[in-house]
Amino acid sequence: MSSIIQLLPDHVANQIAAGEVVQRPASVVKELLENAVDAKATDIKLIIKDAGKSLVQVIDNGVGMTVTDARLCFARHATSKIRQAEDLFSLGTKGFRGEALASIAAIAHMEMKTKQDQDELGTHIVIEGSKFVSQEVAVLPKGTSFAVKNLFFNIPARRNFLKSDTVEFRHVMDEFQRVALAHPNIHFSFYHNGSELYNLPSAGYRQRIVGIMSGKTNEKLVPVNEDTEIINIQGFVCKPEFAKKSRGEQFFFVNDRFIKSGYLHHAVMAAYDGLLKDGSQPSYFLYLQVPPNTIDINIHPTKTEIKFDDEQALYAILRASIKHSLGQFNVAPVLDFDRDSNLDTPYHYKDVEAEIPTIQVDGTFNPFTDDKTNQHYAKSGSGSCSGGYSSGSSSSSGSSYSGSSYSGYSKRVEPTVSWESLYVGLDTENPETIESSPFNFENEEVTSSLFNDDEVEQVSQKTYQIHKKYIVSPIKSGMIIVDQQRAHQRILYEQFLLNMTVNQASSQQLLFPLDLFYSAVEMKLIEELKPSLETTGFIFDASKTDHIVISGIPVNITESEVSIVIDQLLSDLQDGIPASSYSQNDTIAKSMAKSLAVKTGSYLTEKEQDNLVSGLFACKDPNISPFQKPTFITMRVEDIDKKFAL
């Protein structure tokens, strides 16, 4: 019997390995940028076309390669990063597997140009599907240039699985931002379809973060700095009031390598405990430095997962340092243990008993006594007043301030009727007669009606709200229980969809235009959504590179809800904008309805409950919400009777 096991050819093995390493154009961008960083480059350029499907090119000014290295770098497991297995536990470079270039060359047309500084000429190599087409000597600048064209040209099925250009470009942008944020000391530039998107000079961490995100990011950042024997933490967290619904701006870097860690993310969320709204996510840019021998990177080909030796200690230190920073910069409330010494009791008063202050009170004084006493006080008052002013006159004009001129003002007017006369005729012995006697007050509210009481029909309440979540309304056969949030979503969804497809939506002009700041990826997404948003009632002024200006909004949206609606829309469209216009309008209508619908836990008045129930059954499809969930249930009288049956 013949043998059935055979060794696969190199080009087949490379294509199999490429399935793990290269999943989309963003994977190529990541591998080439990290190789440029490992080459000790100080200037790196990224050039892509058609979201990386047609071209991904990375140009650096690193150390370059010799002729032998240039040919050998495309072989599997060929690397300059490690020499032995022990080096895996003391890695100081990005790559170490030696599979990236071989995998990329197996599924694309690849062109490499490289030259070292001491050499006069460089090497130019062209590869197509793991096959060397040409190798020539060329005049080149110092550094290396990789150009990857026609990705997945020999694997059509894999190419068909790629998403739209918008989605693929967003993934490319994510990889570029991660590498650029991890290395602020390197000058990065990014070009897409001939236009420059980023030009980031060498700077510090804060300047690099502001340069990538937007200009308004600077005022949101709170610095974090903690140095211990286990870990060194640097970076920034954002203030709680700037939290977003999405998790886009959350970055962990361990030894200048971007990682994903749900455990460390939980530590950050624990530090924000009590400061965030439900469903909000804080933004953070945290750089962790740990000893290389305490982590294991060789877990996944993407190298974004890391195992730590002592995760519990890192968790506690990270949470405490962020909590300290939020309190130090008066972002979070803290306890003030600094005591004001001025409020302390002196020591020589510590054992002294408190004494009741002595005051003199005239117990016989009564303001309602006879006139003689009052005249006595009036005379004495006038004398003191006149004497005071007359003796104080020392200039030529002092005669005008004589006591005689002021004596008239201090004279008391004698009452013509005594105060006892106010109560003459009242029966003081029988207080009940006082309470029962009729009194008419001027401030009584007098109400009148145009109709008689018997003509007005008493309308009873038709709907009831339960637990601020459900609305119960009686019907002939029993009752219906309506979910207020889902019902309002259905109503708003059909209203927005009608305005976007049939009616001309009306807008309300803003007195002061709104300036909303977003990242470069979000700005590109908003530019594509502008035509659809304008049909709902939004009016956009001239947009800038990092923010949009809104001068008009739909009539059923308040000014404070605009940012909430757009943030929710950007979060829902992270996977890309649908190609067809109806699907795009449908997605926008669903997102806006979800943002503006009344939430569970909101109190509704009787009129609001009636309008909600009436509006729901006026919809074309009142049975389900826009997200295919039931909006109400019906309970018949027979069903209720069965509940009470024994």
Side-chain angles (χ1 to χ4, degrees):
M1 185 176 179
S2 60
S3 301
I4 59 175
I5 297 178
Q6 58 182 352
L7 188 64
L8 292 175
D10 288 342
H11 67 280
V12 177
N14 289 338
Q15 288 189 7
I16 295 174
E20 296 180 352
V21 179
V22 183
Q23 301 172 356
R24 52 185 2 130
S27 304
V28 178
V29 172
K30 173 182 180 296
E31 298 294 343
L32 296 183
L33 286 178
E34 289 183 348
N35 282 344
V37 172
D38 288 338
K40 301 178 182 178
T42 58
D43 191 336
I44 300 175
K45 293 181 181 179
L46 172 62
I47 304 171
I48 66 171
K49 291 183 180 179
D50 300 330
K53 297 177 182 178
S54 300
L55 172 67
V56 174
Q57 185 174 8
V58 174
I59 305 173
D60 66 70
N61 62 346
V63 296
M65 289 181 281
T66 63
V67 178
T68 305
D69 292 340
R71 183 69 180 239
L72 189 60
C73 70
F74 292 102
R76 290 191 65 199
H77 305 302
T79 179
S80 61
K81 316 300 172 61
I82 62 175
R83 291 288 184 269
Q84 52 190 357
E86 288 75 12
D87 295 340
L88 292 173
F89 302 100
S90 59
L91 287 173
T93 57
K94 302 295 181 184
F96 55 88
R97 292 176 177 272
E99 294 180 341
L101 293 180
S103 300
I104 296 172
I107 55 175
H109 296 163
M110 199 166 183
E111 183 178 357
M112 184 190 70
K113 299 177 181 178
T114 182
K115 173 184 171 295
Q116 291 187 333
D117 191 19
Q118 66 274 13
D119 296 337
E120 295 182 358
L121 299 176
T123 305
H124 181 200
I125 296 178
V126 177
I127 300 178
E128 296 180 0
S130 296
K131 297 180 180 179
F132 283 84
V133 176
S134 64
Q135 178 176 346
E136 300 175 351
V137 177
V139 178
L140 301 171
K142 172 197 172 184
T144 305
S145 170
F146 284 100
V148 180
K149 305 176 183 177
N150 304 324
L151 193 65
F152 300 121
F153 79 99
N154 51 356
I155 311 178
R158 193 65 177 272
R159 188 178 182 89
N160 294 334
F161 275 108
L162 293 178
K163 304 294 184 181
S164 62
D165 286 356
T166 304
V167 178
E168 297 299 338
F169 174 75
R170 183 174 61 83
H171 286 287
V172 171
M173 182 76 77
D174 289 343
E175 295 296 344
F176 174 80
Q177 290 180 352
R178 293 168 182 174
V179 178
L181 285 171
H183 302 277
N185 58 329
I186 300 177
H187 176 232
F188 284 92
S189 53
F190 185 13
Y191 301 87
H192 181 220
N193 291 337
S195 61
E196 183 183 86
L197 298 181
Y198 286 111
N199 190 355
L200 306 172
S202 177
Y205 285 127
R206 180 185 284 269
Q207 291 81 358
R208 178 56 56 89
I209 293 170
V210 173
I212 289 181
M213 297 306 164
S214 65
K216 283 288 183 179
T217 308
N218 190 30
E219 64 186 32
K220 306 176 186 179
L221 300 178
V222 176
V224 178
N225 194 351
E226 189 70 32
D227 191 4
T228 65
E229 296 179 356
I230 301 175
I231 186 174
N232 179 21
I233 302 175
Q234 289 183 334
F236 301 89
V237 295
C238 285
K239 299 176 182 178
E241 58 265 27
F242 297 105
K244 297 184 176 182
K245 290 184 175 294
S246 62
R247 300 178 59 175
E249 297 181 0
Q250 296 178 346
F251 297 90
F252 277 117
F253 300 96
V254 176
N255 296 352
D256 296 333
R257 182 192 303 275
F258 172 79
I259 68 161
K260 296 178 181 179
S261 175
Y263 189 70
L264 296 182
H265 172 73
H266 191 275
V268 177
M269 296 299 294
Y272 277 92
D273 188 22
L275 301 177
L276 298 175
K277 298 179 181 179
D278 292 338
S280 298
Q281 294 288 334
S283 300
Y284 52 82
F285 310 86
L286 296 173
Y287 300 84
L288 315 179
Q289 294 291 333
V290 298
N293 58 352
T294 62
I295 58 175
D296 185 7
I297 305 171
N298 190 21
I299 297 175
H300 193 272
T302 59
K303 297 184 286 291
T304 57
E305 298 179 11
I306 290 181
K307 284 190 178 297
F308 298 93
D309 282 353
D310 193 354
E311 287 188 336
Q312 288 79 8
L314 298 182
Y315 183 98
I317 295 173
L318 182 62
R319 182 183 62 178
S321 60
I322 295 176
K323 214 173 186 62
H324 173 72
S325 296
L326 293 176
Q328 183 180 5
F329 291 90
N330 297 325
V331 177
V334 295
L335 293 176
D336 185 11
F337 294 101
D338 295 333
R339 184 177 57 187
D340 188 359
S341 58
N342 296 326
L343 301 178
D344 294 342
T345 303
Y347 285 109
H348 58 277
Y349 285 115
K350 184 177 64 171
D351 298 327
V352 178
E353 295 183 359
E355 297 180 358
I356 300 176
T358 57
I359 58 174
Q360 294 180 357
V361 179
D362 186 4
T364 62
F365 174 76
N366 188 356
F368 300 103
T369 56
D370 55 358
D371 298 339
K372 295 181 180 180
T373 308
N374 294 335
Q375 290 177 0
H376 170 72
Y377 285 109
K379 289 179 181 179
S380 63
S382 63
S384 62
C385 181
S386 61
Y389 281 95
S390 60
S391 61
S393 59
S394 58
S395 62
S396 61
S397 61
S399 59
S400 62
Y401 297 95
S402 62
S404 61
S405 62
Y406 281 85
S407 61
Y409 293 100
S410 61
K411 204 169 188 178
R412 188 178 185 277
V413 179
E414 297 181 1
T416 57
V417 183
S418 61
W419 65 274
E420 290 92 344
S421 62
L422 297 175
Y423 301 96
V424 174
L426 297 179
D427 188 3
T428 58
E429 295 180 357
N430 189 8
E432 295 181 357
T433 59
I434 299 177
E435 296 179 359
S436 61
S437 61
F439 289 96
N440 292 327
F441 297 96
E442 293 183 358
N443 59 352
E444 282 189 354
E445 184 178 355
V446 180
T447 58
S448 60
S449 176
L450 298 175
F451 307 98
N452 297 328
D453 293 340
D454 54 356
E455 295 178 357
V456 179
E457 181 181 359
Q458 298 295 331
V459 180
S460 60
Q461 184 177 353
K462 294 182 179 180
T463 58
Y464 304 89
Q465 190 180 25
I466 300 177
H467 294 296
K468 298 181 182 180
K469 184 176 183 180
Y470 301 108
I471 299 175
V472 179
S473 178
I475 56 176
K476 290 183 178 180
S477 60
M479 65 178 179
I480 60 171
I481 303 175
V482 180
D483 188 309
Q484 63 184 32
Q485 183 173 359
R486 296 180 185 178
H488 201 201
Q489 287 177 354
R490 164 54 63 176
I491 297 171
L492 293 177
Y493 166 72
E494 293 197 1
Q495 288 179 358
F496 286 127
L497 205 58
L498 188 66
N499 292 337
M500 297 169 69
T501 55
V502 180
N503 299 337
Q504 180 66 31
S506 55
S507 302
Q508 53 181 341
Q509 201 73 16
L510 296 176
L511 183 61
F512 301 102
L514 286 176
D515 291 348
L516 301 178
F517 290 80
Y518 297 99
S519 62
V521 179
E522 294 171 336
M523 284 297 299
K524 185 176 180 61
L525 198 59
I526 291 175
E527 289 293 331
E528 298 184 21
L529 293 174
K530 264 189 180 181
S532 298
L533 290 175
E534 288 173 349
T535 58
T536 63
F538 284 98
I539 300 176
F540 295 90
D541 285 351
S543 299
K544 309 299 181 182
T545 56
D546 60 347
H547 72 281
I548 57 175
V549 182
I550 298 178
S551 59
I553 58 177
V555 292
N556 50 355
I557 297 180
T558 61
E559 185 176 348
S560 60
E561 294 173 335
V562 175
S563 60
I564 299 175
V565 170
I566 297 182
D567 288 343
Q568 182 66 51
L569 185 60
L570 295 175
S571 177
D572 293 339
L573 294 176
Q574 282 185 350
D575 294 333
I577 302 175
S580 62
S581 60
Y582 175 77
S583 299
Q584 182 174 335
N585 294 338
D586 181 74
T587 304
I588 294 175
K590 286 181 179 178
S591 177
M592 295 179 66
K594 181 167 62 174
S595 302
L596 300 174
V598 60
K599 301 297 187 291
T600 298
S602 301
Y603 171 76
L604 301 180
T605 62
E606 296 179 18
K607 188 175 182 180
E608 291 172 340
Q609 297 172 26
D610 292 337
N611 291 338
L612 189 64
V613 175
S614 302
L616 174 63
F617 290 101
C619 296
K620 293 182 179 180
D621 191 2
N623 297 317
I624 57 175
S625 71
F627 305 99
Q628 306 302 314
K629 295 181 179 179
T631 56
F632 68 92
I633 59 173
T634 305
M635 293 189 67
R636 299 179 302 170
V637 178
E638 294 82 358
D639 299 333
I640 301 176
D641 292 339
K642 292 179 181 179
K643 298 290 183 182
F644 287 96
L646 298 177

